[in-house]
Amino acid sequence: MNSSFLMTMTAIATFGIGLLILTSEPKQWVDDTAEFFFPEPDPVLVVIVGNRDLVGSLRGVIEADRILADTGDAFALDSRRVIAANADAASGPINQLDWIERKIEIVSVPTDGGRQWERDRGKRKLGKGGSPEDQAKAEKIASLMNKPTLNAGEAMMLLNHMDSAGQF
């Protein structure tokens, strides 16, 4: 290429960078530039499975050399994934591997207990395996699920039910 062309392009780039420095807030362009050159690593994904037995069954199908930390109730993989019985148990491997400064995403896997409650919800009858309180709760939840709009109290009741049933 022509050396005058390269000098012209260098001058234009220098002018543009200088103009950027003068007209913008340094923190903004420094952060943007740093993020471009040094992207943040993927977050640690914590998968909550609900109980220690499920953690053990998952541990059994994963190659041992992929497990970086194991506390019994939770284990961490080389792919920055943590499988845990509950959120408290996930802290063990995260602390052991010094991942405490990284972003963390939590995913909860619905447990069979919640699904079982839902499957049996319509089968419960007064005097046949379900208490009157269970029957009343099942009927209330069913009516809320079919309602097109909910007030704040009804929404909280339905969300609490869904949380306890493992539907999130």
Side-chain angles (χ1 to χ4, degrees):
M1 285 207 169
N2 188 344
S3 66
S4 64
F5 175 75
L6 288 175
M7 287 179 58
T8 304
M9 293 307 293
T10 303
I12 290 172
T14 304
F15 176 76
I17 291 171
L19 189 61
L20 177 66
I21 290 170
L22 291 173
T23 60
S24 68
E25 296 179 29
K27 180 173 179 11
Q28 178 184 358
W29 64 265
V30 168
D31 287 348
D32 291 345
T33 305
E35 186 176 318
F36 178 76
F37 287 108
F38 307 105
E40 195 169 309
D42 290 337
V44 175
L45 178 65
V46 176
V47 180
I48 307 295
V49 295
N51 64 53
R52 188 178 188 149
D53 294 336
L54 289 173
V55 171
S57 65
L58 289 170
R59 186 185 303 107
V61 297
I62 294 176
E63 298 169 11
D65 61 336
R66 292 196 55 217
I67 298 175
L68 302 178
D70 190 349
T71 62
D73 288 340
F75 63 92
L77 300 170
D78 57 357
S79 57
R80 281 196 299 275
R81 306 293 185 254
V82 176
I83 310 299
N86 54 51
D88 290 336
S91 66
I94 290 171
N95 288 329
Q96 283 179 11
L97 296 170
D98 199 27
W99 289 348
I100 56 176
E101 296 296 324
R102 296 186 181 198
K103 288 185 179 178
I104 296 175
E105 292 182 10
I106 299 177
V107 177
S108 179
V109 178
T111 61
D112 194 48
R115 285 187 229 125
Q116 184 67 35
W117 193 93
E118 280 299 309
R119 278 194 297 269
D120 293 342
R121 180 168 53 101
K123 299 176 185 175
R124 293 190 181 111
K125 303 290 182 205
L126 289 173
K128 293 189 178 187
S131 69
E133 294 83 21
D134 284 345
Q135 181 65 25
K137 182 178 179 181
E139 290 171 3
K140 180 67 176 175
I141 295 299
S143 70
L144 291 176
M145 287 181 163
N146 293 323
K147 199 171 177 187
T149 58
L150 302 173
N151 65 35
E154 293 169 334
M156 285 305 297
M157 181 180 194
L158 187 57
L159 288 171
N160 285 332
H161 159 72
M162 293 173 73
D163 183 44
S164 67
Q167 295 176 327
F168 283 116

